[in-house]
Structure formats: structure tokens, C-alpha cells
Amino acid sequence: MSLPRNPLKSLNSYVLIGADRNLIVDTGFNLPESLQDLRAGIEELGLDMKRTDIFLTHFHADHCGLVPKVVSPDSVVYMSAVDRDLFDDVMDNADNFWVLVERRFLNEGYPKNEFERTQTANPAKKYLPEVKFTSVPVADGTRLSYGNFRLECVWTPGHTPGHVCLFDKDQGIFFSGDHVLFDITPNITAWATLPNSLQHYMNSLLRIRDCPVRVTLTGHRENDGVLSERVAQLIAHHKNRLANVERILEDQPGLNGYEVASCMNWDIRAKNWADFPPGQRWFAVGEALSHLNYLIDQGKVKRIVKNGVHTYFPVKTCECEI
Ligand SMILES: [Zn+2]
């Protein structure tokens, strides 16, 4: 279904049809265009929503945004408890939630006026459901059964702190959500509740690499790649990015997180950092931070607070300067 005015372009929503009950995996932004597509799909398949449940791979708005619009009182919505807590937080304490996010990003050198511009257009904020919905928690190993599908939940934190994939081992079908995407790389940002998210993400990639998978059904874009090959590419991608960050700090020790992001290599049509759409700059800084946190945990980088802003040094330079 379409995700208008968003670089992701579309969301892949999957429907598993059973004799008794059906399962929809992920919904879409709370936007009329996405809703129209989802409703058209429900109609085309003749789904009775009274006999249809919904599985959410994670709490992002492009996956959970439409739940209240299509769910019936008889539907069960599945979601991990960890992402449910984040969802509740962003729905119940939105102002406080975004104030804390803003504080964290300003501490990384994000210019305040630019941050505000980013946030007014932030789809993660704008396209969440208007109301909450009840959900049933799933955890690693939780089993669900729909039609011919015997599904197992696979705990894959990284993209969000409580991301969960679904795996039908007998048929070799893997619903990867946003854990593995084929033609774009999932955004790995810094989370207050998941220190060193990149390490978690890499562990979650290694965890699934050798699963006997025939078909990988992703949350966005293409879904005809080979899982093990893509996992290897994603790990190599992050290793390159870590090396990129290390080189930047060797050349320019003492940059803040925003400045590090501005120096990194990005695969984007923008000519340079100034040309980045504000929303993409926000994702880029989050990505820079997750890589900096990983390097700090490895003892390769140190964070020093100067005038309330975090600055980063390669460990050697840092020791000399202190
Ligand atoms: Zn997504």
C-alpha cells in the first residue's frame, strides 16, 4: 500500500488466510491513501474483519497507523510488550516523549530551529493512530497458527527495541518486517531504552542468518532476495559505516554527532548535507549516533561533554588531549 510523500514509497502488508481466522501482518500510515489501499485489499480478498487478527512487527507509524481504522472488536492485535510500551508512551505522553527526543538530539549538536522544522513534518509523529487499541503481547518463540501457516515469533531488536519477525519454518517463509529490507537498509537509530542498538541489530541479523528460508517477505519494497546473502551485505554495510565514522574522527577529532553525520557517506540523491531533506537529516543523525555508541562500547571512541554538547574523539587522540 502507498505511503505518500515518503521515501519508503510503500508498505508491504501480508494476509494469511485460514478457514477459521486470517492474519494481516502490518497495516500502514494513518493516512487516507494508505487506508484506501488497505480497504481495497480487504475487499478484494473478501476478508471478514470479525475473523481477522493483526500482527505488528513493530510500533512505527507505517506499520501500526491503521489498526483502529480496520480492527474489529473480535480481532486480536499482536505486538511485543517492549514496542507496546513505546507505543503507549508516544500516545499517552506525546509532548514529554518528543521533548526527551529533542533534548537528546540537541545534546548531539542538532540545531534547534532545524530540529523543529524536522519535527513538524515527522511522519512518525503525524501518522500514528488517533486512538490506542488493545493488543496481546508476543515474545520470542510465541507460536501462532493461521491456515497452513505455523508461525513462530523471532525476537529481533535493533530497528526498534521490540521488533519481532515471523517465521514459518516448515514452509521456509520469513516475514522480516523492517529487520531485513533488500533494496534499502533499515534505519538503525539511537534509543533511550536500547543502549547500543547497533550491537543488538547485528546480533539480531546473525540470529536469523542461517534460518532455512525460501521466501523473505519484507516490510518495504522488494521481497525476492536471499536472506542469508542480504544479512551478510547488511553486516558489511554497517562495518563500512563504522570504519567511515572512525576515519572521520581521526581526521577531525571533537566533532559532535550532528557534524559526524554531515561528514558520513550516504547513499542518497542529495548533492551534499545542505541538500538533504530535513527528515532524512534526522534519520542520518540517529544512524550516526548508533554507530558512535557502538564504537564507544568497543572502546574505540570516547564521548566528552563540552558546553552541554556531546563531542567524540578517537580513544588515542582523546587520551593525549586529556
Ligand atoms: Zn517500516
Side-chain angles (χ1 to χ4, degrees):
M1 66 187 67
S2 54
L3 301 174
R5 301 173 292 285
N6 189 284
L8 289 169
K9 295 183 183 158
S10 60
L11 174 89
N12 301 325
S13 179
Y14 299 96
V15 182
L16 284 60
I17 297 181
D20 304 325
R21 297 197 71 76
N22 316 305
L23 183 70
I24 296 177
V25 180
D26 289 333
T27 62
F29 275 144
N30 182 14
L31 267 179
E33 294 91 334
S34 304
L35 179 61
Q36 200 181 358
D37 292 345
L38 182 57
R39 286 211 170 124
I42 289 171
E43 201 180 320
E44 187 184 328
L45 295 170
L47 295 187
D48 175 0
M49 287 308 294
K50 285 201 218 76
R51 294 193 303 108
T52 302
D53 301 326
I54 299 177
F55 182 90
L56 300 172
T57 54
H58 60 295
F59 85 105
H60 278 159
D62 53 328
H63 297 255
C64 77
L66 287 174
V67 171
K69 292 253 164 65
V70 296
V71 79
S72 84
D74 301 318
S75 308
V76 178
V77 181
Y78 299 103
M79 189 181 199
S80 77
V82 169
D83 268 27
R84 177 72 212 198
D85 284 349
L86 286 163
F87 177 73
D88 285 345
D89 205 16
V90 76
M91 293 293 287
D92 296 339
N93 316 303
D95 291 346
N96 190 43
F97 181 91
W98 291 108
V99 164
L100 293 178
V101 171
E102 175 174 347
R103 199 172 298 157
R104 284 201 296 121
F105 274 73
L106 297 188
N107 286 343
E108 301 296 342
Y110 217 104
K112 191 169 169 58
N113 58 350
E114 194 187 310
F115 185 87
E116 281 160 5
R117 240 185 307 139
T118 304
Q119 292 309 299
T120 47
N122 187 349
K125 227 172 173 174
K126 280 168 71 184
Y127 305 143
L128 279 167
E130 290 107 2
V131 291
K132 284 170 57 170
F133 48 83
T134 53
S135 67
V136 169
V138 290
D140 192 41
T142 300
R143 288 177 187 276
L144 303 172
S145 185
Y146 288 86
N148 297 329
F149 296 88
R150 303 281 165 272
L151 303 158
E152 186 174 333
C153 295
V154 185
W155 183 239
T156 43
H159 178 64
T160 64
H163 190 287
V164 178
C165 297
L166 279 176
F167 183 33
D168 182 326
K169 196 173 177 183
D170 297 341
Q171 301 192 72
I173 300 176
F174 193 84
F175 296 88
S176 70
D178 285 2
H179 182 43
V180 170
L181 303 172
F182 285 107
D183 52 348
I184 46 176
T185 53
N187 176 243
I188 307 304
T189 191
W191 293 89
T193 54
L194 189 73
N196 200 349
S197 54
L198 182 59
Q199 180 72 68
H200 284 275
Y201 181 64
M202 304 265 247
N203 292 348
S204 297
L205 285 175
L206 290 173
R207 207 183 156 203
I208 61 156
R209 184 185 55 189
D210 301 323
C211 287
V213 170
R214 197 170 50 81
V215 180
T216 305
L217 299 177
T218 56
H220 301 280
R221 312 268 195 107
E222 289 171 13
N223 52 13
D224 58 354
V226 177
L227 183 70
S228 56
E229 287 174 9
R230 186 57 181 156
V231 164
Q233 285 170 1
L234 287 169
I235 290 172
H237 164 80
H238 287 292
K239 284 189 174 161
N240 280 339
R241 198 157 262 186
L242 287 163
N244 183 209
V245 170
E246 275 195 275
R247 263 195 317 276
I248 289 165
L249 290 179
E250 272 157 27
D251 292 347
Q252 304 175 76
L255 294 183
N256 63 43
Y258 181 88
E259 290 165 336
V260 170
S262 75
C263 297
M264 287 167 70
N265 303 324
W266 302 106
D267 185 12
I268 184 170
R269 270 191 218 121
K271 287 193 290 290
N272 51 40
W273 183 246
D275 194 39
F276 263 53
Q280 294 305 302
R281 233 179 271 173
W282 142 267
F283 280 118
V285 172
E287 188 93 15
L289 297 178
S290 70
H291 287 73
L292 286 163
N293 290 339
Y294 183 99
L295 291 167
I296 289 171
D297 263 24
Q298 284 205 326
K300 293 183 174 171
V301 165
K302 272 199 178 180
R303 178 192 293 119
I304 293 177
V305 183
K306 278 187 184 163
N307 304 323
V309 174
H310 298 167
T311 56
Y312 296 89
F313 294 82
V315 162
K316 273 187 217 145
T317 314
C318 179
E319 281 165 359
C320 304
E321 290 207 342
I322 288 169

PDB file of all heavy atoms in Angstrom, residues 8 11 58 62-63 178 220, ligand 1:
ATOM      1  N   LEU A   8      10.058   5.895   1.686  1.00  0.00           N
ATOM      2  CA  LEU A   8       9.842   4.435   1.711  1.00  0.00           C
ATOM      3  C   LEU A   8       8.924   3.991   0.573  1.00  0.00           C
ATOM      4  O   LEU A   8       8.911   2.839   0.175  1.00  0.00           O
ATOM      5  CB  LEU A   8       9.223   4.013   3.049  1.00  0.00           C
ATOM      6  CG  LEU A   8      10.132   4.086   4.270  1.00  0.00           C
ATOM      7  CD1 LEU A   8       9.319   3.899   5.540  1.00  0.00           C
ATOM      8  CD2 LEU A   8      11.232   3.044   4.192  1.00  0.00           C
ATOM      9  N   LEU A  11       4.302   0.275   1.751  1.00  0.00           N
ATOM     10  CA  LEU A  11       4.429  -0.749   2.791  1.00  0.00           C
ATOM     11  C   LEU A  11       3.907  -2.064   2.227  1.00  0.00           C
ATOM     12  O   LEU A  11       2.877  -2.086   1.542  1.00  0.00           O
ATOM     13  CB  LEU A  11       3.595  -0.382   4.028  1.00  0.00           C
ATOM     14  CG  LEU A  11       3.580  -1.499   5.079  1.00  0.00           C
ATOM     15  CD1 LEU A  11       4.734  -1.347   6.049  1.00  0.00           C
ATOM     16  CD2 LEU A  11       2.270  -1.562   5.831  1.00  0.00           C
ATOM     17  N   HIS A  58       6.441  -4.137  14.466  1.00  0.00           N
ATOM     18  CA  HIS A  58       6.952  -3.117  15.390  1.00  0.00           C
ATOM     19  C   HIS A  58       5.991  -1.935  15.419  1.00  0.00           C
ATOM     20  O   HIS A  58       5.009  -1.905  14.687  1.00  0.00           O
ATOM     21  CB  HIS A  58       8.383  -2.715  15.026  1.00  0.00           C
ATOM     22  CG  HIS A  58       8.576  -2.141  13.654  1.00  0.00           C
ATOM     23  ND1 HIS A  58       8.374  -2.861  12.494  1.00  0.00           N
ATOM     24  CD2 HIS A  58       8.951  -0.904  13.252  1.00  0.00           C
ATOM     25  CE1 HIS A  58       8.643  -2.092  11.454  1.00  0.00           C
ATOM     26  NE2 HIS A  58       8.985  -0.897  11.879  1.00  0.00           N
ATOM     27  N   ASP A  62       4.190   3.577  10.205  1.00  0.00           N
ATOM     28  CA  ASP A  62       3.892   2.982   8.889  1.00  0.00           C
ATOM     29  C   ASP A  62       3.453   1.522   9.016  1.00  0.00           C
ATOM     30  O   ASP A  62       3.018   0.908   8.046  1.00  0.00           O
ATOM     31  CB  ASP A  62       5.082   3.118   7.922  1.00  0.00           C
ATOM     32  CG  ASP A  62       6.387   2.596   8.476  1.00  0.00           C
ATOM     33  OD1 ASP A  62       6.590   2.685   9.703  1.00  0.00           O
ATOM     34  OD2 ASP A  62       7.209   2.095   7.689  1.00  0.00           O
ATOM     35  N   HIS A  63       3.537   0.964  10.224  1.00  0.00           N
ATOM     36  CA  HIS A  63       3.116  -0.431  10.430  1.00  0.00           C
ATOM     37  C   HIS A  63       1.845  -0.532  11.271  1.00  0.00           C
ATOM     38  O   HIS A  63       1.030  -1.413  11.058  1.00  0.00           O
ATOM     39  CB  HIS A  63       4.256  -1.244  11.055  1.00  0.00           C
ATOM     40  CG  HIS A  63       5.447  -1.310  10.139  1.00  0.00           C
ATOM     41  ND1 HIS A  63       5.778  -2.435   9.432  1.00  0.00           N
ATOM     42  CD2 HIS A  63       6.339  -0.354   9.764  1.00  0.00           C
ATOM     43  CE1 HIS A  63       6.833  -2.171   8.667  1.00  0.00           C
ATOM     44  NE2 HIS A  63       7.195  -0.917   8.851  1.00  0.00           N
ATOM     45  N   ASP A 178      10.784  -4.760   9.231  1.00  0.00           N
ATOM     46  CA  ASP A 178      11.857  -3.850   8.790  1.00  0.00           C
ATOM     47  C   ASP A 178      13.217  -4.310   9.301  1.00  0.00           C
ATOM     48  O   ASP A 178      14.180  -3.546   9.299  1.00  0.00           O
ATOM     49  CB  ASP A 178      11.593  -2.414   9.285  1.00  0.00           C
ATOM     50  CG  ASP A 178      10.491  -1.736   8.487  1.00  0.00           C
ATOM     51  OD1 ASP A 178       9.913  -2.387   7.588  1.00  0.00           O
ATOM     52  OD2 ASP A 178      10.208  -0.557   8.771  1.00  0.00           O
ATOM     53  N   HIS A 220       9.027  -3.435   3.355  1.00  0.00           N
ATOM     54  CA  HIS A 220       9.030  -2.418   2.302  1.00  0.00           C
ATOM     55  C   HIS A 220       9.759  -2.929   1.061  1.00  0.00           C
ATOM     56  O   HIS A 220      10.677  -3.735   1.160  1.00  0.00           O
ATOM     57  CB  HIS A 220       9.753  -1.143   2.773  1.00  0.00           C
ATOM     58  CG  HIS A 220       9.136  -0.532   3.983  1.00  0.00           C
ATOM     59  ND1 HIS A 220       8.018   0.263   3.934  1.00  0.00           N
ATOM     60  CD2 HIS A 220       9.482  -0.619   5.295  1.00  0.00           C
ATOM     61  CE1 HIS A 220       7.705   0.652   5.156  1.00  0.00           C
ATOM     62  NE2 HIS A 220       8.568   0.128   6.008  1.00  0.00           N
TER      63      HIS A 220
HETATM   64 ZN    ZN B   1       8.588   0.490   8.127  1.00  0.00          ZN
END
